[in-house]
Amino acid sequence: MHDPENEPTTGRPARSASVGLSGDVSLSGWETEGPEVLGPRTRSFSEPEPPPTPDEDDEALEDLSPTTPAQRSWGFTNFAALWTSVSISVPLYMFSASLLSTGLDWWQSVLAPFLGCMMILVPMVMNGWAGCKYGVCFPVFLRSSFGTKGALFAALVRGLVAIGYFGLNLYVGGNSLYMALVALIPSARNAPYLGDWLGLNLAQLFVMLLFLAVHLLIVYLGINHIKRFQVYLAPVLATTAVLLFLYFGIRVGVVEMLAATDNIPRTGPHVQSLGLAFFAALTAVCGCWSTMAMNIPDFTRYAVDQRSQIMGQFCSLPFVQTAVGFIAIAITGATFVLYGEPVWDPAVLIARIPSPFFTVVAALMMALSVISLNVTCNLVSPANDIANLNPNAITFKHGGYATCVVGFVIMPWKIFSSADSLVFVWLIGTGTVLAAVLGVMLGDFYVVRKMQLNVSDLYDLDIGSEYYFYRGFNLIAVFSCMIAVVPCAPGFLASSAVISPDSISEFFTILYDFSWLVSFALSFGMHSLLSLYLPIDVLASLSPDFLPLQHMTQQQQQQECGQLERDVTLPFDPSIDYDSSVSRVPFSPRLVVSPEPAEQQHFLPKKDPEVGVGVIP
């Protein structure tokens, strides 16, 4: 049962209400108008209360408020430009080049990212639909499926993965600066080695710390300082990639570049099975874009309409990634011809070019582009997620500092030391976890709620919110996420060398290659079925808090209302066909008093026009 004295405060005044049989209402701390008592602000039953603005409520920040019609200005070209700037990146180049070592031919390595992008775009567009329809951002949208407090931890999962990607980019940018340093001072390559536990020499550690300091400085000064450069960095990086392609194409020949990929050594776990290697590549692509698939409402909330966000994404991401992948694969084949080994790291590649000037310029351009991508895609989100854990004590800057430090401490140069670790450990492993969260979000929105959200309650963190569930957590969503990743855990442990691959069944090894689809399907189906059909007595056996008021005995109703400091006679009858969302979703009651017939109130029982007291689910 809920205890208001132990509930976290939200900055609102304490409230209580007493309702007699005659309908008289006495209130404390509630605004009223006539006979309606709905919450901290008054609204009519015919028109839902608008979500709070920063001036109305401390709980709502300006960035979290729904977008206004004036703010919805993103069209087809805006979404196309977004995916073009994000896709032209060094990590994506590395991923595309690394597919050659998994056992795929060059054309399969080009086709797999294209098909993988088309696959991930389906749930991405579905998730973006909610942002466009209601104008809500990702952290707020999460509350509808995970609860007002559970959303913080679901967002933190996404934030932790973003910290890993931040570390990857930190390594890529720092390594490019190291190559520039070696081009200027060749003796830096012979700097003292600091041991296998760190895996760096003194010069590498220096440039890594320098690159980290640049990110910390950006957080200190404010990330808006970098936005003026973002519009130029993607074209610069694209131009650099094209120049590299032309340089190696002239030296080796395009046909020879592609033919040489057949001779690259295959080291992946599926070198004997191209089918499994291909599906593993598809899973890795889905894992690569799972972070964006989750928080795409942050962008689609600014779309002018659904068509713009759908067509803008489908007509840009697959084709840009395919182009980047083709260039990366061709250049990797050329490096095998010229240097006798495939070079999939562009920082190492530019160091092989016999021109110190070109190496330094290309390394600086690469470092700048990495900073732009890292701050935009991998720093802002986890910094906000960390800050939201305790907004009164943790600021965005604190979250940004924590993101930078953790991204360095995990030693990304060791995690991403090989193509196999990048594809089979990081991309597939993190994609499995994110797919479980994404499956719950889409199952809840499309199956459970039929694409209908109570926007006002999304911004209400009090006990009466429809999305409060059990003490702020939807335990069904949490349970579904946990169960969804369990079948994929043995394959991940084997791929990351935590356990021996021989110690698990081949079934789990193959299942891991499909882990994104498995995790997504399990969480989607389990959350949808449990939310719709979990028997009410099962919820009651877990905790009385799960039991909706209309299913309580009279004594339970009195105890529940007593804890909420409300003296109410609730004429609920279990035989009444209540609204489906009321009867299936665990929630805590909110008092509603109105003389209007219930059929005019969408949140009250639909078949009893005489009932004047109900609950908002």
Side-chain angles (χ1 to χ4, degrees):
M1 307 293 285
H2 294 297
D3 185 358
E5 295 181 358
N6 296 326
E7 288 292 332
T9 60
T10 60
R12 294 176 178 173
R15 297 162 292 185
S16 61
S18 177
V19 183
L21 294 177
S22 62
D24 297 333
V25 181
S26 61
L27 305 167
S28 175
W30 292 69
E31 298 179 13
T32 63
E33 181 178 339
E36 300 177 358
V37 182
L38 294 175
R41 288 168 297 278
T42 303
R43 67 179 185 268
S44 65
F45 287 108
S46 59
E47 182 178 356
E49 178 187 12
T53 64
D55 293 335
E56 293 175 319
D57 202 311
D58 331 303
E59 296 293 344
L61 301 175
E62 184 176 2
D63 290 342
L64 298 180
S65 301
T67 52
T68 63
Q71 293 174 305
R72 293 171 175 262
S73 58
W74 279 42
F76 172 89
T77 55
N78 297 97
F79 284 98
L82 167 69
W83 284 114
T84 300
S85 61
V86 171
S87 299
I88 303 176
S89 63
V90 176
L92 186 58
Y93 176 101
M94 297 171 63
F95 164 68
S96 301
S98 67
L99 291 179
L100 291 171
S101 67
T102 64
L104 300 181
D105 295 330
W106 73 265
W107 65 270
Q108 294 170 329
S109 299
V110 174
L111 180 62
F114 178 82
L115 295 180
C117 286
M118 297 300 290
M119 287 175 54
I120 191 63
L121 275 172
V122 174
M124 188 182 297
V125 166
M126 293 176 64
N127 203 31
W129 187 282
C132 181
K133 181 177 181 179
Y134 293 101
V136 295
C137 59
F138 166 66
V140 174
F141 180 43
L142 266 180
R143 296 172 185 172
S144 65
S145 52
F146 284 88
T148 54
K149 297 178 182 177
L152 298 177
F153 294 93
L156 188 61
V157 171
R158 192 263 184 223
L160 291 175
V161 175
I163 291 177
Y165 281 106
F166 176 88
L168 169 61
N169 282 274
L170 191 67
Y171 159 66
V172 171
N175 199 32
S176 65
L177 291 181
Y178 173 70
M179 294 304 170
L181 179 63
V182 170
L184 295 175
I185 309 175
S187 60
R189 191 182 295 274
N190 300 320
Y193 185 63
L194 301 178
D196 292 337
W197 69 274
L198 185 61
L200 299 175
N201 63 34
L202 187 61
Q204 288 174 314
L205 179 62
F206 170 75
V207 294
M208 290 292 179
L209 290 174
L210 178 63
F211 202 57
L212 173 65
V214 172
H215 286 82
L216 291 171
L217 180 63
I218 292 174
V219 174
Y220 175 77
L221 296 176
I223 62 172
N224 289 331
H225 288 76
I226 200 174
K227 289 184 177 180
R228 68 188 68 177
F229 302 106
Q230 289 177 333
V231 68
Y232 305 106
L233 292 178
V236 168
L237 190 61
T239 302
T240 304
V242 172
L243 290 177
L244 283 173
F245 178 79
L246 294 176
Y247 171 81
F248 286 104
I250 294 173
R251 291 192 61 183
V252 179
V254 176
V255 176
E256 288 75 10
M257 293 164 66
L258 297 176
T261 59
D262 295 334
N263 300 321
I264 293 178
R266 267 54 173 176
T267 59
H270 303 306
V271 293
Q272 303 299 327
S273 176
L274 290 180
L276 292 178
F278 188 80
F279 281 107
L282 293 180
T283 302
V285 174
C286 292
C288 179
W289 294 114
S290 290
T291 53
M292 289 293 289
M294 286 181 61
N295 73 307
I296 194 64
D298 289 339
F299 302 96
T300 58
R301 62 195 293 235
Y302 297 103
V304 294
D305 52 36
Q306 297 290 359
R307 177 181 174 84
S308 297
Q309 68 102 357
I310 294 174
M311 298 304 297
Q313 297 187 77
F314 269 102
C315 295
S316 56
L317 174 60
F319 301 99
V320 177
Q321 173 151 351
T322 301
V324 173
F326 177 79
I327 292 176
I329 290 167
I331 293 177
T332 304
T335 60
F336 186 77
V337 174
L338 296 176
Y339 312 123
E341 62 178 349
V343 180
W344 62 290
D345 187 341
V348 178
L349 173 63
I350 60 178
R352 298 287 185 94
I353 299 176
S355 173
F357 174 78
F358 180 83
T359 298
V360 172
V361 172
L364 292 178
M365 291 298 99
M366 187 182 303
L368 288 175
S369 66
V370 167
I371 291 175
S372 173
L373 176 70
N374 224 15
V375 171
T376 304
C377 299
N378 302 319
L379 194 150
V380 174
S381 176
N384 280 322
D385 295 336
I386 294 173
N388 284 336
L389 292 177
N390 189 355
N392 294 326
I394 306 175
T395 65
F396 171 81
K397 287 187 176 182
H398 294 153
Y401 296 146
T403 299
C404 294
V405 173
V406 174
F408 178 83
V409 169
I410 63 175
M411 293 189 288
W413 51 88
K414 303 185 74 172
I415 297 178
F416 307 107
S417 59
S418 68
D420 290 345
S421 64
L422 174 63
V423 175
F424 293 100
V425 178
W426 176 253
L427 291 178
I428 297 182
T430 58
T432 301
V433 178
L434 297 181
V437 178
L438 184 60
V440 167
M441 294 174 64
L442 296 184
D444 187 84
F445 182 65
Y446 285 93
V447 179
V448 178
R449 304 191 183 277
K450 305 296 189 294
M451 302 172 64
Q452 301 299 318
L453 295 178
N454 185 336
V455 179
S456 177
D457 273 19
L458 284 175
Y459 292 87
D460 185 359
L461 307 184
D462 283 346
I463 194 172
S465 171
E466 176 179 346
Y467 309 109
Y468 191 82
F469 298 104
Y470 175 67
R471 301 186 185 278
F473 294 88
N474 184 356
L475 297 188
I476 291 179
V478 176
F479 175 78
S480 300
C481 283
M482 295 174 61
I483 296 300
V485 301
V486 168
C488 308
F492 171 76
L493 295 176
S495 296
S496 56
V498 176
I499 61 176
S500 172
D502 298 332
S503 63
I504 65 173
S505 169
E506 185 180 1
F507 169 78
F508 290 107
T509 302
I510 297 177
L511 187 68
Y512 184 63
D513 296 329
F514 301 87
S515 60
W516 195 95
L517 293 173
V518 171
S519 180
F520 177 84
L522 283 178
S523 64
F524 183 98
M526 188 173 301
H527 177 79
S528 301
L529 292 176
L530 291 180
S531 297
L532 291 174
Y533 301 112
L534 185 64
I536 197 67
D537 54 345
V538 174
L539 293 175
S541 66
L542 297 176
S543 170
D545 289 295
F546 282 107
L547 200 61
L549 270 181
Q550 65 267 31
H551 292 280
M552 292 183 180
T553 64
Q554 184 175 3
Q555 182 180 4
Q556 288 175 324
Q557 292 178 5
Q558 293 174 352
Q559 292 175 349
E560 181 75 8
C561 294
Q563 287 207 2
L564 292 175
E565 300 182 326
R566 302 172 188 177
D567 181 13
V568 185
T569 299
L570 297 173
F572 283 108
D573 183 352
S575 63
I576 296 177
D577 182 17
Y578 292 93
D579 179 81
S580 58
S581 63
V582 174
S583 61
R584 71 167 180 262
V585 180
F587 65 96
S588 298
R590 178 192 292 177
L591 178 64
V592 177
V593 182
S594 172
E596 296 184 27
E599 61 266 22
Q600 298 180 16
Q601 306 166 20
H602 67 279
F603 42 75
L604 292 181
K606 296 182 178 179
K607 292 188 177 181
D608 191 354
E610 300 300 325
V611 174
V613 179
V615 296
I616 298 178

